[in-house]
Amino acid sequence: MSRSAIERLYDRLFDEKPGRRSCEDLTDQACQVTPRNFFAEIGALTLTKLGDAIASPKTVLAWMLATLGAPVAIIGWLVPVRESLSMLPQIVLAGWVQRFAVRKWIWVGGGIVQAGALLGMAAAAWTLRGLAAGVVVLGCLIVFSLARAFCSISIKDVQGKTIAKRRRGRVTGWSAAVAGGLTMAGSAILIGPMKNETDAAPFGWILLLAAGLFLSAVLVFALVREFDGETKRDAAGVGQSLKSARENLRLLGREKSFRRFVIARALFLVSALSAPYYVVMARDSGGEADAVSGLGALGWFVLAGGIADMLSSPVWGRFADRSSRRVMMTAAGLASVLGIGMWAMALFAEELVQSSWIFVGAYFFLSIAHAGVRAGRKTYVVDMATGNRRTDFVSVSNTVIGFILILTGLLTPVAEKFGAAWMILLLSIAGLVGVAMAVGLPEVEEEGEENS
């Protein structure tokens, strides 16, 4: 497709006319290449989201390590490590990232390292067993997550400089939708030909495919045209980065709206942290064996998540471009109400949760809610600030969330003692408190909104 064709498609999608595009928050140079950047970023994010889906610690890696005979203690740390280490370092990295006028190459470098980590996991699936396999996979996941920290903090800046307001939510939404559709196709293999597979070798090929997707994403993202932006040249050394980190943490005290956003976002973790407990309840339900054993179980949950992303992400993305605050509230509210309903059924209507299909359906709606929370909070933090201020906001919020995720990993024994249903209830109540907190957030998509 030629560049002129890309421009025509972009203008048709947003009902705009050449030379008069909406480029709020962008420079004139960036405005001219917005169509190219818009589709390049959608393509790259689609590839990484698909790679994430088929190498998910919640499902694929956990299943793989269980098959390889790795200790349960290592399997239990997969999700906390994956989520927290991609966030915790960002407050220190922010100062270093701010030295660069062009930051897309940071994302490119992080993508290459993530692909290498996935190749290491694939090698472990083919050659190792037991504790050795668990240690190597967890080590590779640590490298993967730290590389993701660089990508996470840089992508927000790149999008803020290359995609106009009221367009950014659709980048996230459409890429998640396409990735969800492709994930559905992949789940058909697990449900069909590989349904009763018990060997670990297929996981190696799955991870090899994921590595290829990340490398392809790097090539696509390199096409993004990013112009020089605001920098902080004095943020060179580690000492200076740590000093900047301490200063940035003070943003939580100075910036009322930002502080409220971070607290609400932490409470909105209900949509992410509840997911494994739905799977646990399905396994304990005594339902149909075809849906809760072997790779067939993995396939049904992957399929549910893929359908949810494909159907809901574009809607959430479009909604987020109008009001990312309302998207977060609506999606977190859905996850919370769903969780309370599942807890009530588990305790007071046990006959309703004897079929594993109930949990597959619940996981579908939870995935819809999670897609909304993700689209809303990503769009909100990008739209609420500009320049290096955006980098500061992203790094502080992600670091705080990473710390909270580490703490949730320490709560695993509590969940084991009281049961999955009670953990879902606790997370759901937290989600409702988050909705109440978000009521007081400003509407950052409104023109002329001041967010300080």
Side-chain angles (χ1 to χ4, degrees):
M1 180 181 287
S2 67
R3 183 172 180 272
S4 60
I6 289 176
E7 289 181 330
R8 289 196 298 270
L9 177 58
Y10 180 88
D11 292 338
R12 186 175 302 170
L13 284 172
F14 295 109
D15 194 24
E16 294 186 334
K17 296 180 180 180
R20 291 194 294 174
R21 294 193 185 102
S22 173
C23 288
E24 183 181 351
D25 238 14
L26 298 184
T27 64
D28 292 339
Q29 283 181 308
C31 185
Q32 293 176 7
V33 293
T34 294
R36 163 181 168 166
N37 290 337
F38 182 82
F39 289 109
E41 290 178 33
I42 285 180
L45 292 178
T46 296
L47 292 166
T48 58
K49 288 178 186 297
L50 180 58
D52 283 335
I54 65 176
S56 170
K58 297 177 184 178
T59 52
V60 176
L61 295 185
W63 239 275
M64 181 182 80
L65 289 187
T67 303
L68 292 171
V72 175
I74 289 181
I75 297 175
W77 273 101
L78 288 174
V79 173
V81 164
R82 164 63 183 86
E83 298 296 336
S84 63
L85 291 187
S86 65
M87 296 182 180
L88 275 173
Q90 291 190 25
I91 195 166
V92 176
L93 294 177
W96 179 79
V97 169
Q98 288 171 347
R99 297 174 55 211
F100 298 90
V102 174
R103 297 168 187 175
K104 74 173 187 177
W105 300 115
I106 298 174
W107 194 95
V108 167
I112 293 172
V113 174
Q114 287 176 91
L118 289 168
L119 289 175
M121 295 181 201
W126 287 323
T127 61
L128 300 175
R129 293 292 183 274
L131 177 62
V135 170
V136 170
V137 170
L138 190 62
C140 289
L141 186 62
I142 289 173
V143 174
F144 180 96
S145 301
L146 292 174
R148 176 57 65 88
F150 285 88
C151 293
S152 177
I153 196 170
S154 59
I155 187 64
K156 306 298 191 304
D157 279 336
V158 175
Q159 286 188 340
K161 292 165 59 181
T162 59
I163 307 296
K165 269 191 176 184
R166 306 178 190 275
R167 303 287 184 269
R168 296 163 185 161
R170 270 162 278 197
V171 172
T172 300
W174 290 352
S175 59
V178 176
L182 295 174
T183 302
M184 288 171 52
S187 67
I189 299 175
L190 297 174
I191 295 172
M194 295 175 61
K195 176 179 178 180
N196 298 315
E197 184 66 56
T198 57
D199 186 57
F203 288 102
W205 294 108
I206 291 172
L207 292 168
L208 182 64
L209 173 60
L213 290 168
F214 272 85
L215 289 176
S216 299
V218 163
L219 295 176
V220 174
F221 199 79
L223 298 175
V224 171
R225 186 80 182 277
E226 180 189 359
F227 298 97
D228 289 356
E230 184 181 350
T231 62
K232 283 186 179 179
R233 293 295 180 182
D234 60 342
V238 174
Q240 183 62 39
S241 293
L242 291 173
K243 181 180 178 181
S244 297
R246 290 194 297 270
E247 292 175 354
N248 288 342
L249 280 174
R250 295 191 181 101
L251 288 171
L252 292 171
R254 295 196 306 264
E255 306 282 350
K256 180 179 178 181
S257 295
F258 176 60
R259 180 174 65 250
R260 182 178 285 268
F261 164 73
V262 172
I263 295 173
R265 180 185 170 185
L267 295 167
F268 290 161
L269 286 172
V270 55
S271 66
L273 297 179
S274 294
Y277 297 111
Y278 281 69
V279 177
V280 169
M281 289 179 69
R283 285 177 170 174
D284 295 341
S285 68
E288 296 90 349
D290 284 348
V292 293
S293 64
L295 287 184
L298 174 62
W300 285 115
F301 282 97
V302 170
L303 177 61
I307 295 174
D309 278 345
M310 187 184 68
L311 295 180
S312 68
S313 293
V315 178
W316 288 127
R318 189 176 183 85
F319 190 3
D321 283 333
R322 297 179 181 177
S323 175
S324 53
R325 179 185 70 94
R326 293 178 184 174
V327 164
M328 292 187 291
M329 293 171 59
T330 302
L334 172 61
S336 298
V337 171
L338 178 66
I340 292 173
M342 295 303 296
W343 167 81
M345 282 195 294
L347 266 67
F348 306 113
E350 292 186 13
E351 67 280 0
L352 296 178
V353 292
Q354 293 305 306
S355 170
S356 57
W357 297 109
I358 293 291
F359 297 99
V360 173
Y363 187 82
F364 168 76
F365 288 106
L366 181 66
S367 297
I368 288 177
H370 183 59
V373 171
R374 186 174 61 234
R377 56 99 172 163
K378 286 184 177 181
T379 304
Y380 195 92
V381 76
V382 173
D383 286 351
M384 76 186 304
T386 59
N388 283 327
R389 184 180 173 87
R390 180 184 294 117
T391 307
D392 295 337
F393 280 11
V394 171
S395 65
V396 172
S397 63
N398 282 351
T399 298
V400 172
I401 298 303
F403 180 73
I404 292 173
L405 284 165
I406 286 290
L407 293 180
T408 62
L410 299 176
L411 291 175
T412 302
V414 177
E416 189 170 331
K417 179 179 180 180
F418 291 99
W422 285 98
M423 281 302 298
I424 290 175
L425 175 64
L426 178 63
L427 291 167
S428 299
I429 293 173
L432 292 178
V433 175
V435 172
M437 288 289 298
V439 171
L441 288 172
E443 290 284 0
V444 296
E445 280 73 36
E446 293 180 1
E447 292 190 26
E449 182 74 49
E450 295 294 333
N451 301 298
S452 58

